[in-house]
Amino acid sequence: MTNADVARVFARLATMLEIDGANPFRVRAYREGARVVESHGEPVEALAGEEGALEALPGIGKDLAQKIRDVVKTGTTDLYEEMRKKIPVEVVALTELQGLGPKRVKTLFETLGVKDRAGLEAAARAGQLRELPGFGEKVEQNVLKALAAASQWVGRVPLAGAWAVAGALAEHIRALPGVEQVECAGSFRRRKESVGDLDLLVTGGSAETVMEAFTKHGDVVEILGRGETKSSVRLRNGLQVDLRLVPPESFGAALLYFTGSKEHNIELRKLAIERGLSLNEYGLTRGDKTVAGRTEEEVYRALGLAWIPPELREALGEIERARAGTLPRLIEPKDLVADLHMHTDRSDGRDTLETMVRAVRDRGYAYCAITEHSKAIGFGRGFDEERVRRSAQEIAAVRKQVPDIRVLHGLEVDILADGALDLNDEGLAMLDWVIVSLHSRLDLPAPAMTERVLRALSHPAVHAMAHPTGRLMPSREPARFDMERVLERAAETGVAMEINAQPDRMDLKDAHARLAKEKGVRMVIDTDAHSTAQLDHIRYGLFAARRAGLTKEDVLNTLPFDRFEQALRRAKPAAAGGAPTTIVPAPGPAGKAARAAPPATATKRTAKPKPAAAASRPRAKAAPRAGSKPARKRSS
Ligand code: DGT
Ligand code: CA
Ligand code: CA
Ligand code: ZN
């Protein structure tokens, strides 16, 4: 059991207790326990064997430690089993719907007897929810929306939910005697944001050994079929996995076929027919002669195509580009040299500033930005101007403590309902890196939302927009706004759009990132990590970027620090030749703040417009920044 598995049990237990009306302290203890386990660096499975090791974890007492041991050993614990009988798992799952926390689910369960999504939908349609205390008509409408959003996910698992299990299964099979190749094909290999099932392909090894090992794997809860060349199972997390054993000489053809997409396959087959060939999962043939099949490369080559990365195989023009030799060179993990969005325990993150910066440094990044929340959110710990001022000192200190990485003093500034920023210009001027994002009022109608976002993007202090649509998969729908207009404004102003790599966000999503590239928008890929462990999430941002066809050149945080700095400066009106006569020294505290700033170090000189300039510019003026991007200047 991974720490995440163990944590899930305790998080669920906490929710069950809360729905049951248990003492809030008790609920909090389990919820906190889940968080501690999840974010702990070593596997609790290992600690469970050591006397007192679990008890030494913060917030974990004797009782909880014993329950963790139970869960590690048996997958469950008595209290969990007892609660499960009272509060069905389907009821617990309702708390994941947008707008429904444990408190509302408790009301639904107790007063209306709602036990699952179907019951909830029926009650909402019958207008029963609006009558409940603490609900109302709006909540009822939102519940119906959330149910519709969640239904798109029925039978599908987010990519991140499939990631570990697919890797573990592949490893398990790869270790068997005689096995040569193991690949997880299908939507998983194309890195789609959700997968319907996993499609494993294997060569080598005896059918008996492979199928036995596959169907007896510890994660398997049900065997759906077992044969000589194909078996299917269902895993603990609900995912179905098909395993196919194929001969080495047709592995490439099988991999190509089962990677899909279906639309890509259909186009390839057409191309084959035009050339007098025939393509299927066994190979590419002319009459009864096999032309290719051992590797994907040889099949593509025989069709006159360059090998196409799986992420692009969606029949969106990649075949034409493979024929013309103009496929993009997709961005790779090693291209990223910075992570520009993360939180520490100064706001809602888990780890200290120093721990976080060290962890980023240890991953080999050249620079990073620390971006706490602003005051409108951040669970009461969001930053106001005064907190930003103190933060500057903390950042200066951490730069000394961890010298071999550049640390930008950033902030994730909330975009208020009217598009104004949740920090005044004086506060913004103290920052090296300003990212803005939507966290509240995500239900505004599209025209108002569009204006709100456009206004925020037009603020001259803004460098990037984080998780632009605010979606949370599977439960929260994206904010509705005119994406094209927003991306056009971003291109004009030089504001970068983020591909947020949190696995439940992946926002911008692939299609939007593709559109952003077409519009000449600059992008950043960030983790938005709330703990050091979450720095690993970067892969999901890279996947979305690759599916969008992004190259290194499309992404700002691939640039070495000095060029990144230049790129930001060029994007700023103050540095791009804005008429100096209009820039007056900011009066009062703003000027003082600027003067009181510590002497410019290499890092301090980064990223920001001249403080006085930023402070004196009119807020939210929608005029595009002239000359903001010489390389890709738009005629606006
Ligand atoms: P999923 O599992 O729903 O996330 O999506 P996929 O793409 O993994 O689809 P799946 O598992 O049904 O099939 C795996 C691949 O097999 C699919 O991407 C393409 C290929 N395939 C399946 N059915 C057909 C078909 O009817 N025609 C063609 N040309 N290819 C197919
Ligand atoms: Ca599949
Ligand atoms: Ca399948
Ligand atoms: Zn964030």
Side-chain angles (χ1 to χ4, degrees):
M1 285 203 114
T2 64
N3 284 4
D5 293 331
V6 177
R8 208 170 302 123
V9 173
F10 288 100
R12 220 178 267 161
L13 180 54
T15 304
M16 286 170 172
L17 288 167
E18 194 168 357
I19 295 172
D20 196 41
N23 175 334
F25 291 106
R26 199 156 164 239
V27 171
R28 199 171 316 144
Y30 288 112
R31 193 154 284 145
E32 190 52 31
R35 297 206 305 187
V36 169
V37 167
E38 174 145 41
S39 62
H40 193 66
E42 315 148 73
V44 290
E45 197 159 28
L47 298 184
E50 265 174 67
E51 176 124 23
L54 288 174
E55 286 84 346
L57 295 178
I60 306 244
K62 236 187 175 154
D63 173 70
L64 192 50
Q66 187 47 47
K67 289 196 171 65
I68 294 174
R69 284 192 194 95
D70 292 346
V71 171
V72 162
K73 219 184 287 167
T74 67
T76 186
T77 178
D78 291 347
L79 179 62
Y80 182 84
E81 291 304 309
E82 188 187 310
M83 289 307 300
R84 209 160 66 123
K85 285 181 203 128
K86 273 168 103 173
I87 317 284
V89 282
E90 292 81 6
V91 174
V92 178
L94 294 179
T95 62
E96 284 158 24
L97 289 170
Q98 187 176 358
L100 284 188
K103 281 194 190 66
R104 284 195 174 136
V105 170
K106 177 177 163 63
T107 308
L108 287 166
F109 183 55
E110 285 175 355
T111 56
L112 296 181
V114 165
K115 287 197 194 62
D116 53 22
R117 283 188 183 172
L120 179 61
E121 181 161 0
R125 290 207 183 285
Q128 291 176 302
L129 266 54
R130 65 186 73 177
E131 312 293 339
L132 297 175
F135 278 68
E137 208 160 326
K138 185 133 182 251
V139 172
E140 187 174 273
Q141 285 309 313
N142 287 341
V143 162
L144 284 169
K145 271 190 215 149
L147 281 167
S151 70
Q152 299 165 12
W153 284 79
V154 167
R156 299 190 70 80
V157 170
L159 179 57
W163 185 258
V165 85
L169 262 179
E171 270 317 299
H172 179 66
I173 306 289
R174 204 169 279 131
L176 299 172
V179 166
E180 279 158 11
Q181 286 161 286
V182 182
E183 281 284 351
C184 192
S187 52
F188 180 85
R189 185 160 179 248
R190 302 198 312 280
R191 308 306 191 214
K192 273 193 71 166
E193 64 193 32
S194 74
V195 302
D197 69 2
L198 293 176
D199 306 278
L200 280 178
L201 295 178
V202 180
T203 63
S206 77
E208 177 57 28
T209 320
V210 170
M211 297 310 181
E212 181 72 8
F214 176 56
T215 53
K216 296 281 159 61
H217 187 269
D219 279 340
V220 171
V221 290
E222 189 186 354
I223 300 172
L224 304 167
R226 180 171 167 171
E228 281 286 295
T229 58
K230 182 187 170 193
S231 294
S232 298
V233 300
R234 186 169 305 286
L235 303 180
R236 209 149 26 116
N237 66 357
L239 206 56
Q240 181 180 327
V241 190
D242 300 337
L243 181 148
R244 290 178 173 84
L245 194 56
V246 299
E249 61 275 14
S250 57
F251 182 72
L255 186 56
L256 188 58
Y257 181 88
F258 289 107
T259 296
S261 66
K262 192 170 159 186
E263 293 70 23
H264 180 84
N265 289 353
I266 290 169
E267 287 204 12
L268 284 184
R269 203 170 316 146
K270 264 195 240 152
L271 201 60
I273 291 166
E274 281 166 28
R275 299 185 159 224
L277 299 162
S278 159
L279 177 65
N280 59 28
E281 63 264 49
Y282 303 103
L284 183 67
T285 52
R286 186 185 304 280
D288 48 16
K289 186 172 164 285
T290 298
V291 177
R294 190 171 285 275
T295 67
E296 284 188 336
E297 284 82 354
E298 78 181 32
V299 177
Y300 278 117
R301 202 182 312 122
L303 293 172
L305 304 175
W307 179 81
I308 300 174
E311 293 93 330
L312 295 180
R313 301 183 192 172
E314 299 291 348
L316 292 170
E318 72 279 7
I319 292 178
E320 293 73 11
R321 299 189 74 176
R323 185 160 32 197
T326 57
L327 281 171
R329 228 188 134 119
L330 299 183
I331 186 167
E332 291 178 27
K334 66 168 168 44
D335 295 329
L336 283 184
V337 298
D339 192 336
L340 299 169
H341 183 169
M342 66 190 70
H343 301 262
T344 75
D345 64 1
R346 300 184 310 157
S347 66
D348 64 339
R350 190 62 30 80
D351 292 306
T352 66
L353 178 58
E354 188 185 342
T355 305
M356 207 68 193
V357 172
R358 278 192 197 286
V360 182
R361 192 251 343 247
D362 291 347
R363 304 176 77 87
Y365 287 128
Y367 52 103
C368 67
I370 305 295
T371 53
E372 312 296 358
H373 288 291
S374 64
K375 60 185 178 296
I377 56 157
F379 310 95
R381 315 194 61 188
F383 283 27
D384 60 7
E385 292 74 13
E386 181 44 41
R387 185 68 188 88
V388 168
R389 194 185 311 276
R390 273 191 289 131
S391 171
Q393 308 302 315
E394 293 161 3
I395 296 287
V398 85
R399 283 174 185 149
K400 293 214 182 74
Q401 287 162 331
V402 193
D404 32 5
I405 179 167
R406 311 265 192 169
V407 182
L408 300 182
H409 183 203
L411 200 73
E412 178 175 10
V413 182
D414 210 46
I415 302 174
L416 302 175
D418 64 353
L421 302 186
D422 185 30
L423 197 75
N424 67 23
D425 288 346
E426 181 196 334
L428 292 168
M430 286 185 261
L431 298 164
D432 301 323
W433 173 246
V434 175
I435 61 182
V436 293
S437 57
L438 299 165
H439 289 100
S440 57
R441 297 303 311 276
L442 291 172
D443 56 342
L444 286 185
M449 188 61 100
T450 304
E451 288 313 313
R452 177 184 181 187
V453 174
L454 292 180
R455 181 174 177 205
L457 295 192
S458 304
H459 192 293
V462 173
H463 294 109
M465 182 173 187
H467 47 73
T469 75
R471 73 165 177 178
L472 285 179
M473 298 181 282
S475 54
R476 191 205 284 157
E477 285 287 81
R480 283 166 301 153
F481 55 76
D482 184 336
M483 183 58 85
E484 281 208 56
R485 280 186 69 200
V486 163
L487 293 176
E488 279 160 11
R489 179 65 55 84
E492 286 162 9
T493 54
V495 170
M497 283 285 151
E498 180 185 75
I499 297 178
N500 188 290
Q502 287 285 319
D504 55 352
R505 291 192 183 271
M506 295 178 84
D507 180 14
L508 296 178
K509 67 175 180 181
D510 48 13
H512 286 151
R514 186 178 276 266
L515 189 62
K517 178 179 166 123
E518 277 166 23
K519 303 248 176 225
V521 174
R522 314 189 303 172
M523 279 170 271
V524 288
I525 306 175
D526 299 320
T527 58
D528 194 358
H530 285 63
S531 68
T532 57
Q534 290 186 357
L535 292 167
D536 274 344
H537 288 337
I538 196 69
R539 69 169 74 95
Y540 302 107
L542 279 157
F543 293 155
R546 289 172 61 87
R547 283 180 56 80
L550 266 51
T551 68
K552 187 177 170 179
E553 289 68 35
D554 297 312
V555 178
L556 284 181
N557 48 331
T558 62
L559 292 173
F561 185 69
D562 54 340
R563 289 194 40 220
F564 172 75
E565 217 185 338
Q566 280 168 16
L568 287 185
R569 268 208 296 255
R570 199 177 298 137
K572 292 290 140 184
T581 47
T582 66
I583 297 172
V584 292
K592 227 186 287 163
R595 282 190 299 276
T601 63
T603 327
K604 271 315 266 194
R605 275 192 285 106
T606 64
K608 62 181 169 187
K610 289 275 166 286
S616 67
R617 281 186 82 83
R619 285 171 70 98
K621 188 151 170 273
R625 289 164 198 174
S628 64
K629 274 178 50 191
R632 294 177 188 150
K633 202 162 169 183
R634 303 180 49 85
S635 50
S636 48

